[in-house]
Amino acid sequence: TTLDVVKPKDAKVAKPVVAHAEVATAHHAMTAEDKIEALEAQVAHLEDNQKQLKEQHKKSQESHNKLVKNSRLSAVDQQMEEKFDQWDQHSYEKTRVGGTMVISKLKNAIHFLKKGD
């Protein structure tokens, strides 16, 4: 015996997705110079963000150090503040390193585009 597959009358047939093809076509239509300009703009934006992050972290540390010096905290509170400082420094370093890696990869992409590979 064979099993017949019965399709309901109102079953919809999947349509091919065209959006990706359109995006790919638009991407290929860009010249190498356009791609380089776009990547350089991203790099400049990310580098500005890195500078702002560094300044913000520095100000945050200075204000926190002033606060800790002028306050009389119990031993438990001091320990909690130290843990927070360690967490804050760790978070800052992770963010800084991650941003630096992205900038480096974008600069490598720019280099290879200019080189023609």
Side-chain angles (χ1 to χ4, degrees), residues 43-58 92 96 103:
V43 168
H45 178 70
L46 290 172
E47 286 176 338
D48 288 341
N49 284 350
Q50 288 281 77
K51 288 177 187 176
Q52 290 174 2
L53 180 69
K54 185 176 182 176
E55 291 170 7
Q56 182 183 11
H57 181 69
K58 194 175 194 178
Y92 168 72
R96 186 187 63 78
I103 290 169

Side-chain angles (χ1 to χ4, degrees), residues 5-17:
V5 177
V6 179
K7 292 183 182 178
K9 291 179 183 178
D10 58 340
K12 295 182 180 179
V13 178
K15 295 179 182 178
V17 178

Side-chain angles (χ1 to χ4, degrees), residues 36-76:
I36 291 170
E37 284 180 27
L39 289 173
E40 286 175 341
Q42 285 292 323
V43 168
H45 178 70
L46 290 172
E47 286 176 338
D48 288 341
N49 284 350
Q50 288 281 77
K51 288 177 187 176
Q52 290 174 2
L53 180 69
K54 185 176 182 176
E55 291 170 7
Q56 182 183 11
H57 181 69
K58 194 175 194 178
K59 288 178 184 177
S60 174
Q61 279 187 322
E62 289 172 358
S63 65
H64 180 73
N65 289 340
K66 287 180 185 177
L67 180 68
V68 169
K69 280 184 181 181
N70 295 334
S71 67
R72 296 191 171 127
L73 299 173
S74 67
V76 174

Side-chain angles (χ1 to χ4, degrees), residues 15-30:
K15 295 179 182 178
V17 178
V18 200
H20 180 70
E22 291 173 4
V23 170
T25 304
H27 177 70
H28 289 299
M30 290 178 71

